[in-house]
Coordinates of all heavy atoms in Angstrom, one line a residue:
M1 N 94.3 -95.5 44.7 CA 94.9 -94.3 45.5 C 94.9 -94.7 47.0 O 94.0 -94.2 47.8 CB 94.0 -93.1 45.2 CG 94.3 -92.4 43.9 SD 95.9 -91.8 43.8 CE 95.6 -90.0 43.5
A2 N 95.8 -95.6 47.3 CA 95.8 -96.0 48.7 C 96.2 -94.9 49.7 O 95.7 -94.8 50.8 CB 96.8 -97.1 48.9
R3 N 97.0 -94.0 49.1 CA 97.4 -92.9 50.0 C 96.3 -92.0 50.4 O 96.2 -91.6 51.6 CB 98.4 -92.0 49.2 CG 99.9 -92.5 49.4 CD 100.8 -91.3 49.3 NE 101.9 -91.4 50.2 CZ 103.0 -90.9 50.0 NH1 103.3 -90.2 48.9 NH2 104.0 -91.0 50.9
G4 N 95.4 -91.6 49.4 CA 94.3 -90.7 49.8 C 93.4 -91.4 50.8 O 92.9 -90.8 51.7
K5 N 93.2 -92.7 50.7 CA 92.4 -93.4 51.6 C 92.9 -93.4 53.0 O 92.2 -93.2 54.0 CB 92.2 -94.9 51.1 CG 90.9 -95.5 51.7 CD 90.7 -96.8 51.2 CE 89.5 -97.4 51.8 NZ 89.4 -98.9 51.6
Q6 N 94.3 -93.6 53.1 CA 94.9 -93.6 54.4 C 94.7 -92.2 55.1 O 94.4 -92.1 56.3 CB 96.4 -93.8 54.2 CG 96.8 -95.2 54.5 CD 98.3 -95.5 54.4 OE1 99.0 -94.5 54.1 NE2 98.7 -96.7 54.6
K7 N 94.8 -91.2 54.3 CA 94.7 -89.8 54.8 C 93.3 -89.7 55.4 O 93.1 -89.2 56.5 CB 94.9 -88.8 53.7 CG 95.5 -87.5 54.2 CD 95.8 -86.7 52.9 CE 96.3 -85.3 53.4 NZ 96.5 -84.5 52.2
E8 N 92.3 -90.2 54.6 CA 90.9 -90.1 55.1 C 90.7 -90.9 56.4 O 90.1 -90.4 57.3 CB 90.0 -90.7 54.0 CG 88.6 -90.5 54.3 CD 87.8 -89.8 53.2 OE1 88.5 -88.9 52.5 OE2 86.7 -90.0 53.0
Q9 N 91.3 -92.0 56.4 CA 91.2 -92.9 57.6 C 91.8 -92.1 58.8 O 91.3 -92.2 59.9 CB 91.8 -94.2 57.4 CG 90.9 -95.1 56.6 CD 91.6 -96.5 56.3 OE1 92.8 -96.6 56.4 NE2 90.8 -97.5 56.0
A10 N 92.9 -91.5 58.6 CA 93.6 -90.8 59.7 C 92.7 -89.7 60.2 O 92.6 -89.4 61.4 CB 94.9 -90.3 59.2
R11 N 92.1 -89.0 59.2 CA 91.2 -87.9 59.6 C 90.0 -88.4 60.4 O 89.6 -87.9 61.5 CB 90.7 -87.2 58.4 CG 90.2 -85.8 58.8 CD 89.9 -85.0 57.5 NE 89.1 -85.7 56.5 CZ 89.2 -85.5 55.2 NH1 90.0 -84.6 54.8 NH2 88.6 -86.2 54.4
E12 N 89.5 -89.5 60.0 CA 88.3 -90.1 60.7 C 88.7 -90.5 62.1 O 88.0 -90.3 63.1 CB 87.8 -91.4 60.0 CG 86.7 -91.1 59.1 CD 86.2 -92.3 58.3 OE1 86.1 -93.4 58.9 OE2 86.0 -92.2 57.1
K13 N 89.9 -91.1 62.2 CA 90.4 -91.5 63.5 C 90.6 -90.4 64.4 O 90.2 -90.4 65.6 CB 91.8 -92.2 63.3 CG 92.2 -93.2 64.4 CD 93.4 -93.9 64.1 CE 94.0 -94.6 65.3 NZ 95.3 -95.1 65.1
A14 N 91.2 -89.3 63.9 CA 91.4 -88.1 64.7 C 90.0 -87.5 65.2 O 89.9 -87.1 66.3 CB 92.1 -87.0 63.9
Q15 N 89.1 -87.6 64.3 CA 87.7 -87.1 64.7 C 87.1 -87.9 65.8 O 86.5 -87.4 66.8 CB 86.8 -87.0 63.5 CG 85.6 -86.1 63.7 CD 84.8 -86.0 62.4 OE1 85.2 -86.5 61.4 NE2 83.6 -85.4 62.5
K16 N 87.3 -89.3 65.6 CA 86.7 -90.2 66.7 C 87.4 -89.9 68.0 O 86.7 -90.0 69.0 CB 86.9 -91.6 66.2 CG 85.8 -92.0 65.2 CD 85.7 -93.5 65.2 CE 84.6 -93.9 64.2 NZ 85.2 -94.6 63.1
Q17 N 88.7 -89.7 68.0 CA 89.4 -89.5 69.2 C 88.9 -88.2 69.9 O 88.8 -88.1 71.1 CB 90.9 -89.4 68.9 CG 91.5 -90.8 68.8 CD 93.0 -90.8 68.4 OE1 93.5 -89.8 67.9 NE2 93.7 -91.8 68.6
A18 N 88.7 -87.2 69.0 CA 88.2 -85.9 69.6 C 86.8 -86.1 70.2 O 86.5 -85.6 71.3 CB 88.2 -84.9 68.5
E19 N 86.0 -86.9 69.5 CA 84.7 -87.2 70.1 C 84.8 -88.0 71.4 O 84.0 -87.7 72.3 CB 83.8 -87.9 69.1 CG 83.3 -87.0 68.0 CD 82.7 -87.9 66.8 OE1 82.4 -89.1 67.0 OE2 82.5 -87.2 65.8
A20 N 85.7 -88.9 71.4 CA 85.9 -89.7 72.6 C 86.3 -88.8 73.8 O 85.9 -89.0 74.9 CB 86.9 -90.8 72.4
R21 N 87.2 -87.9 73.4 CA 87.7 -87.0 74.5 C 86.5 -86.1 75.0 O 86.4 -86.0 76.2 CB 88.7 -86.0 73.9 CG 90.1 -86.5 74.3 CD 91.1 -85.4 74.1 NE 91.2 -84.9 72.7 CZ 92.0 -85.4 71.8 NH1 92.7 -86.4 72.0 NH2 92.0 -84.9 70.6
A22 N 85.7 -85.6 74.1 CA 84.6 -84.8 74.5 C 83.6 -85.7 75.4 O 83.1 -85.2 76.4 CB 83.8 -84.3 73.3
G23 N 83.3 -86.9 74.9 CA 82.4 -87.8 75.7 C 83.0 -88.1 77.0 O 82.3 -88.1 78.0
G24 N 84.3 -88.4 77.1 CA 84.9 -88.7 78.3 C 84.8 -87.5 79.3 O 84.6 -87.8 80.5
K25 N 84.9 -86.3 78.8 CA 84.8 -85.2 79.7 C 83.4 -85.1 80.3 O 83.3 -84.8 81.5 CB 85.0 -83.9 78.8 CG 85.7 -82.8 79.6 CD 86.1 -81.7 78.7 CE 86.9 -80.6 79.4 NZ 87.2 -79.5 78.5
S26 N 82.4 -85.3 79.5 CA 81.0 -85.2 80.0 C 80.7 -86.3 81.0 O 80.0 -86.2 82.0 CB 80.0 -85.2 78.9 OG 79.9 -86.5 78.3
Q27 N 81.4 -87.5 80.8 CA 81.2 -88.6 81.7 C 81.9 -88.2 83.0 O 81.3 -88.5 84.1 CB 81.9 -89.8 81.2 CG 80.9 -90.8 80.6 CD 81.6 -92.0 80.0 OE1 82.8 -92.2 80.2 NE2 80.8 -92.8 79.3
L28 N 83.0 -87.5 83.0 CA 83.7 -87.1 84.2 C 82.8 -86.1 84.9 O 82.7 -86.2 86.2 CB 85.0 -86.4 83.8 CG 86.2 -87.2 84.0 CD1 87.4 -86.5 83.4 CD2 86.5 -87.4 85.5
N29 N 82.1 -85.3 84.2 CA 81.2 -84.3 84.9 C 80.1 -85.0 85.6 O 79.7 -84.7 86.7 CB 80.6 -83.3 83.8 CG 81.7 -82.3 83.4 OD1 82.7 -82.2 84.0 ND2 81.4 -81.7 82.3
A30 N 79.6 -86.1 84.9 CA 78.5 -86.8 85.5 C 79.0 -87.5 86.8 O 78.3 -87.5 87.8 CB 78.0 -87.9 84.5
R31 N 80.2 -88.0 86.7 CA 80.8 -88.6 87.9 C 81.0 -87.6 89.1 O 80.7 -87.9 90.2 CB 82.1 -89.2 87.6 CG 82.4 -90.4 88.4 CD 83.5 -91.3 87.7 NE 82.9 -91.9 86.5 CZ 83.7 -92.6 85.6 NH1 85.0 -92.6 85.8 NH2 83.2 -93.1 84.6
A32 N 81.4 -86.4 88.7 CA 81.6 -85.4 89.7 C 80.3 -85.0 90.3 O 80.2 -84.6 91.5 CB 82.3 -84.2 89.0
A33 N 79.2 -85.1 89.6 CA 77.9 -84.7 90.1 C 77.4 -85.8 91.0 O 76.3 -85.6 91.6 CB 76.9 -84.5 88.9
G34 N 78.0 -86.9 91.0 CA 77.7 -88.0 92.0 C 76.8 -89.1 91.4 O 76.3 -89.9 92.1
L35 N 76.8 -89.2 90.1 CA 76.0 -90.3 89.4 C 74.7 -90.6 90.1 O 74.6 -91.6 90.8 CB 76.9 -91.5 89.4 CG 77.7 -91.7 88.1 CD1 78.4 -93.1 88.1 CD2 76.8 -91.6 86.8
Q36 N 73.8 -89.7 89.9 CA 72.5 -89.9 90.5 C 71.7 -91.1 89.9 O 70.7 -91.6 90.5 CB 71.6 -88.7 90.5 CG 72.3 -87.5 91.3 CD 71.7 -86.2 90.9 OE1 71.0 -86.0 89.9 NE2 71.8 -85.3 91.8
F37 N 72.1 -91.4 88.7 CA 71.3 -92.4 88.0 C 71.8 -93.8 88.2 O 73.0 -94.1 88.0 CB 71.3 -92.1 86.5 CG 70.6 -90.8 86.2 CD1 71.3 -89.7 86.0 CD2 69.2 -90.8 86.1 CE1 70.7 -88.5 85.7 CE2 68.6 -89.6 85.8 CZ 69.3 -88.4 85.6
K38 N 70.9 -94.7 88.7 CA 71.3 -96.0 89.0 C 70.1 -96.9 88.7 O 69.0 -96.5 88.9 CB 71.6 -96.1 90.6 CG 73.0 -96.5 90.9 CD 73.1 -96.7 92.4 CE 74.2 -95.8 93.0 NZ 74.1 -95.8 94.4
C39 N 70.4 -98.1 88.3 CA 69.4 -99.1 88.0 C 68.7 -99.4 89.4 O 69.5 -99.9 90.3 CB 69.9 -100.3 87.3 SG 68.7 -101.6 87.3
P40 N 67.4 -99.3 89.6 CA 66.8 -99.6 90.9 C 66.8 -101.1 91.1 O 66.6 -101.5 92.3 CB 65.4 -99.0 90.7 CG 65.1 -99.0 89.3 CD 66.5 -98.7 88.6
V41 N 67.0 -101.9 90.1 CA 66.9 -103.3 90.3 C 68.3 -103.9 90.7 O 68.5 -104.6 91.7 CB 66.4 -104.0 89.0 CG1 66.4 -105.5 89.2 CG2 65.0 -103.5 88.7
C42 N 69.3 -103.6 89.9 CA 70.6 -104.2 90.1 C 71.7 -103.2 90.5 O 72.8 -103.5 90.7 CB 71.1 -105.0 88.9 SG 71.5 -104.0 87.5
K43 N 71.3 -101.9 90.7 CA 72.1 -100.8 91.2 C 73.3 -100.5 90.2 O 74.3 -99.9 90.7 CB 72.7 -101.2 92.6 CG 71.7 -101.7 93.5 CD 70.7 -100.6 93.9 CE 69.7 -101.2 94.9 NZ 68.4 -100.5 94.9
T44 N 73.2 -100.9 89.0 CA 74.3 -100.5 88.1 C 74.2 -99.0 87.8 O 73.1 -98.4 87.5 CB 74.1 -101.2 86.7 OG1 74.2 -102.6 87.0 CG2 75.1 -100.7 85.7
P45 N 75.3 -98.3 88.0 CA 75.2 -96.8 87.8 C 75.2 -96.5 86.3 O 75.7 -97.2 85.5 CB 76.6 -96.3 88.4 CG 77.4 -97.5 88.5 CD 76.6 -98.7 88.5
A46 N 74.5 -95.4 86.0 CA 74.3 -94.9 84.6 C 74.6 -93.4 84.5 O 74.3 -92.7 85.5 CB 72.9 -95.3 84.1
A47 N 75.1 -93.0 83.4 CA 75.5 -91.6 83.3 C 74.3 -90.7 83.2 O 74.3 -89.5 83.6 CB 76.4 -91.4 82.1
N48 N 73.2 -91.2 82.6 CA 72.0 -90.4 82.5 C 70.7 -91.2 82.5 O 70.8 -92.4 82.4 CB 72.1 -89.4 81.3 CG 72.2 -90.2 80.0 OD1 71.5 -91.1 79.7 ND2 73.3 -89.9 79.3
Y49 N 69.6 -90.5 82.5 CA 68.3 -91.2 82.6 C 68.0 -92.1 81.4 O 67.5 -93.2 81.5 CB 67.2 -90.2 82.8 CG 65.8 -90.8 82.8 CD1 65.4 -91.6 83.9 CD2 64.9 -90.6 81.8 CE1 64.2 -92.2 84.0 CE2 63.6 -91.2 81.9 CZ 63.3 -92.0 83.0 OH 62.0 -92.6 83.0
K50 N 68.4 -91.6 80.2 CA 68.2 -92.4 79.0 C 68.9 -93.7 79.1 O 68.4 -94.8 78.6 CB 68.9 -91.6 77.8 CG 67.9 -91.4 76.7 CD 68.6 -90.5 75.7 CE 68.1 -90.8 74.3 NZ 68.7 -89.9 73.3
I51 N 70.1 -93.8 79.7 CA 70.8 -95.0 79.8 C 70.1 -96.0 80.8 O 70.0 -97.2 80.6 CB 72.3 -94.8 80.2 CG1 73.0 -94.1 79.0 CG2 73.0 -96.0 80.6 CD1 74.4 -93.6 79.3
V52 N 69.5 -95.4 81.8 CA 68.8 -96.2 82.8 C 67.6 -96.9 82.0 O 67.3 -98.1 82.2 CB 68.2 -95.4 83.9 CG1 67.4 -96.2 84.8 CG2 69.4 -94.8 84.8
V53 N 66.9 -96.1 81.2 CA 65.7 -96.6 80.5 C 66.2 -97.7 79.6 O 65.5 -98.8 79.5 CB 65.0 -95.5 79.7 CG1 63.9 -96.0 78.8 CG2 64.5 -94.4 80.7
Q54 N 67.2 -97.5 78.8 CA 67.7 -98.5 77.9 C 68.1 -99.8 78.7 O 67.8 -100.9 78.3 CB 69.0 -98.0 77.2 CG 68.6 -97.0 76.0 CD 69.8 -96.4 75.4 OE1 70.9 -96.6 75.8 NE2 69.6 -95.6 74.4
H55 N 68.8 -99.6 79.8 CA 69.2 -100.7 80.6 C 68.0 -101.4 81.1 O 68.0 -102.7 81.1 CB 70.1 -100.1 81.8 CG 70.4 -101.2 82.8 ND1 71.5 -102.0 82.8 CD2 69.7 -101.5 84.0 CE1 71.4 -102.8 83.9 NE2 70.4 -102.5 84.6
M56 N 67.0 -100.7 81.6 CA 65.8 -101.4 82.1 C 65.1 -102.2 81.0 O 64.7 -103.3 81.3 CB 64.8 -100.3 82.6 CG 65.2 -99.6 83.9 SD 65.3 -100.6 85.4 CE 63.6 -101.1 85.6
E57 N 65.0 -101.6 79.9 CA 64.3 -102.3 78.8 C 65.1 -103.6 78.4 O 64.6 -104.6 78.0 CB 64.2 -101.4 77.6 CG 63.0 -100.4 77.8 CD 63.0 -99.3 76.8 OE1 63.9 -99.2 75.9 OE2 62.0 -98.5 76.9
A58 N 66.5 -103.5 78.4 CA 67.3 -104.6 78.0 C 67.4 -105.7 79.1 O 67.3 -106.9 78.8 CB 68.7 -104.1 77.6
K59 N 67.6 -105.3 80.3 CA 67.9 -106.2 81.4 C 66.7 -106.6 82.2 O 66.7 -107.7 82.8 CB 69.0 -105.6 82.3 CG 70.3 -105.3 81.5 CD 71.1 -106.5 81.2 CE 72.4 -106.1 80.5 NZ 73.1 -107.3 80.0
H60 N 65.8 -105.7 82.4 CA 64.7 -105.9 83.3 C 63.4 -105.5 82.6 O 62.7 -104.7 83.1 CB 64.8 -105.1 84.6 CG 66.2 -105.1 85.2 ND1 66.9 -106.2 85.6 CD2 67.1 -104.1 85.3 CE1 68.1 -105.8 86.0 NE2 68.3 -104.5 85.8
P61 N 63.1 -106.2 81.5 CA 61.9 -105.8 80.8 C 60.6 -105.9 81.6 O 59.6 -105.3 81.2 CB 61.9 -106.7 79.5 CG 62.8 -107.8 79.9 CD 63.8 -107.3 80.9
R62 N 60.6 -106.7 82.6 CA 59.3 -106.9 83.4 C 59.2 -105.9 84.5 O 58.1 -105.8 85.1 CB 59.3 -108.3 84.1 CG 59.1 -109.4 83.0 CD 59.0 -110.7 83.7 NE 59.3 -111.8 82.8 CZ 59.5 -113.0 83.1 NH1 59.4 -113.4 84.4 NH2 59.7 -114.0 82.2
D63 N 60.2 -105.1 84.8 CA 60.1 -104.1 85.8 C 59.7 -102.8 85.2 O 60.1 -102.5 84.1 CB 61.5 -104.0 86.5 CG 61.8 -105.2 87.4 OD1 61.4 -105.2 88.5 OD2 62.5 -106.1 86.9
A64 N 59.0 -102.0 86.0 CA 58.6 -100.7 85.5 C 59.8 -99.8 85.5 O 60.6 -99.8 86.5 CB 57.5 -100.2 86.4
V65 N 59.8 -99.0 84.5 CA 60.9 -98.0 84.4 C 60.5 -96.8 85.3 O 59.5 -96.2 85.2 CB 61.1 -97.5 83.0 CG1 62.2 -96.4 82.9 CG2 61.5 -98.7 82.1
P66 N 61.4 -96.4 86.3 CA 61.0 -95.3 87.1 C 61.1 -94.0 86.4 O 61.7 -93.9 85.4 CB 62.1 -95.3 88.2 CG 63.3 -96.1 87.6 CD 62.7 -97.0 86.6
S67 N 60.3 -93.0 86.9 CA 60.3 -91.7 86.2 C 61.6 -91.0 86.5 O 62.3 -91.2 87.4 CB 59.1 -90.9 86.8 OG 59.4 -90.5 88.1
E68 N 61.9 -90.1 85.6 CA 63.1 -89.3 85.7 C 63.2 -88.5 87.0 O 64.2 -88.4 87.6 CB 63.2 -88.4 84.5 CG 64.6 -87.7 84.4 CD 64.9 -87.0 83.1 OE1 63.9 -87.0 82.3 OE2 66.0 -86.6 82.9
E69 N 62.0 -88.0 87.4 CA 62.0 -87.2 88.6 C 62.4 -88.0 89.8 O 63.0 -87.5 90.8 CB 60.6 -86.7 88.9 CG 60.2 -85.6 87.9 CD 59.8 -86.1 86.5 OE1 59.3 -87.2 86.4 OE2 60.1 -85.4 85.6
S70 N 62.2 -89.3 89.8 CA 62.5 -90.1 91.0 C 64.0 -90.3 91.2 O 64.4 -90.7 92.3 CB 61.9 -91.5 90.9 OG 62.5 -92.3 89.8
F71 N 64.8 -89.8 90.2 CA 66.2 -89.9 90.4 C 66.8 -88.6 90.9 O 67.9 -88.6 91.3 CB 66.9 -90.2 89.0 CG 66.7 -91.6 88.6 CD1 65.7 -92.0 87.7 CD2 67.5 -92.6 89.1 CE1 65.5 -93.3 87.3 CE2 67.3 -94.0 88.7 CZ 66.3 -94.3 87.8
Q72 N 66.0 -87.6 90.9 CA 66.5 -86.3 91.4 C 66.6 -86.3 92.9 O 65.6 -86.6 93.6 CB 65.7 -85.1 90.9 CG 65.4 -85.1 89.5 CD 66.6 -85.1 88.6 OE1 67.6 -84.5 88.9 NE2 66.6 -85.8 87.5
A73 N 67.8 -86.1 93.4 CA 68.0 -86.2 94.9 C 67.3 -85.0 95.6 O 67.3 -83.9 95.1 CB 69.4 -86.2 95.2
Ligands
ZN101 ZN1 69.7 -103.3 86.3

């Protein structure tokens, strides 16, 4: 039943696109807020604190991860 599978894939694709749209919107909001989150080591901007933490652990494992409060302007 190739047809049914195609339909399913199309539905999955549409759902992913909808999610991407929603995600893009929230990213836009973060940008509008001025992207307060930045890596203190290499200054790479991040959409939120969680991403900074992930980035620090991946790229700068020897550096201390700053507290979330330290990013609030
Ligand atoms: Zn960095």
Side-chain angles (χ1 to χ4, degrees):
M1 282 297 241
R3 268 210 145 151
K5 203 176 176 194
Q6 260 183 1
K7 212 173 172 185
E8 185 122 330
Q9 282 176 338
R11 196 172 48 211
E12 264 177 47
K13 202 177 166 190
Q15 198 176 351
K16 278 204 182 111
Q17 281 175 340
E19 280 168 17
R21 261 199 299 275
K25 211 174 189 180
S26 69
Q27 257 178 9
L28 257 169
N29 287 343
R31 209 160 291 168
L35 265 186
Q36 295 168 340
F37 294 98
K38 244 186 235 168
C39 169
V41 179
C42 69
K43 313 294 181 205
T44 296
N48 58 54
Y49 179 65
K50 229 172 155 183
I51 290 172
V52 175
V53 174
Q54 281 173 357
H55 169 91
M56 291 295 294
E57 285 170 354
K59 302 283 181 186
H60 321 291
R62 287 184 202 171
D63 290 275
V65 178
S67 71
E68 187 167 8
E69 286 76 33
S70 69
F71 285 97
Q72 309 303 324

